[in-house]
Amino acid sequence: MGKRYFCDYCDRSFQDNLHNRKKHLNGVQHLRAKRVWYDLFRDAAAILQEEQTKKPCRKFLQTGQCDFGSNCRFSHMTEQDLEKLSAQVQGEKRLKELQLEGADIPPGTIEDWLEKRAQRLSAAQSNSALPEKPAPFQYPPGWPPVQDLPPSLQAPPPGGWPVPPGLQWG
């Protein structure tokens, strides 16, 4: 059958030879899928700048859907989305300025997370010291009444199944 080439961007494979690979890598579907992949990792400032230059998508505003999806050349962001994105960009900019000035790391950092994690772990350990009461046995929903079940599917009696005298540990 020969070697096969799998494209991670397009999530498909094809026979690997020079002609097929060139055809695929220069294809519109591959280029679109690759652009969508790399757009996932763009920073907020670049996204905001690009979205502010675009006109709003009429079809998206009317129906909430657009046939072009991420390939649409118009903006699918509402005013609220743009405001949130702008606030995120401003926050990132302030954080970079604080780091450049050599200021202390603001709250919401790894140290805060580690402290909260330690508190959660200590609380979990103190709660685990309490003996847990086992949940009572319940048959799955939709099962027939207990009396209609064969003995192999019935729950054990409260004291457990009786053990024949020859099998007891002793």
Side-chain angles (χ1 to χ4, degrees):
M1 181 158 131
K3 289 184 182 179
R4 296 195 61 81
Y5 178 82
F6 182 79
C7 178
D8 290 321
Y9 299 118
C10 303
D11 196 29
R12 61 180 295 232
S13 66
F14 51 87
Q15 187 176 4
D16 190 18
N17 61 42
L18 183 62
H19 174 73
N20 287 349
R21 193 182 288 209
K22 267 188 179 179
K23 187 177 175 184
H24 175 76
L25 294 178
N26 293 324
V28 174
Q29 288 180 333
H30 174 77
L31 295 174
R32 283 183 182 165
K34 185 176 173 183
R35 192 178 97 223
V36 167
W37 171 256
Y38 280 104
D39 284 350
L40 292 173
F41 302 104
R42 289 192 316 168
D43 64 330
I47 295 171
L48 179 65
Q49 183 180 4
E50 182 181 320
E51 290 296 324
Q52 287 176 334
T53 60
K54 292 181 180 179
K55 293 180 182 178
C57 179
R58 240 184 301 154
K59 177 128 183 179
F60 188 78
L61 290 176
Q62 290 171 351
T63 64
Q65 296 180 10
C66 176
D67 296 334
F68 296 101
S70 61
N71 297 320
C72 185
R73 61 187 179 133
F74 298 103
S75 176
H76 292 174
M77 288 193 150
T78 62
E79 289 296 323
Q80 294 84 8
D81 293 337
L82 288 173
E83 289 172 8
K84 287 179 188 176
L85 193 58
S86 178
Q88 180 183 348
V89 169
Q90 293 299 325
E92 289 174 1
K93 192 182 291 185
R94 274 187 247 124
L95 183 63
K96 285 182 183 177
E97 288 172 358
L98 286 174
Q99 289 175 345
L100 289 176
E101 293 173 1
D104 289 338
I105 298 173
T109 59
I110 188 73
E111 287 80 14
D112 294 334
W113 181 84
L114 287 170
E115 185 178 324
K116 288 179 185 176
R117 179 175 178 262
Q119 290 172 352
R120 280 195 311 265
L121 287 175
S122 65
Q125 288 174 352
S126 65
N127 288 342
S128 66
L130 301 173
E132 291 186 19
K133 193 165 100 176
F137 178 81
Q138 293 181 342
Y139 286 100
W143 274 44
V146 177
Q147 300 83 6
D148 297 345
L149 292 173
S152 62
L153 294 177
Q154 291 182 5
W161 296 110
V163 179
L167 296 177
Q168 290 180 349
W169 294 94

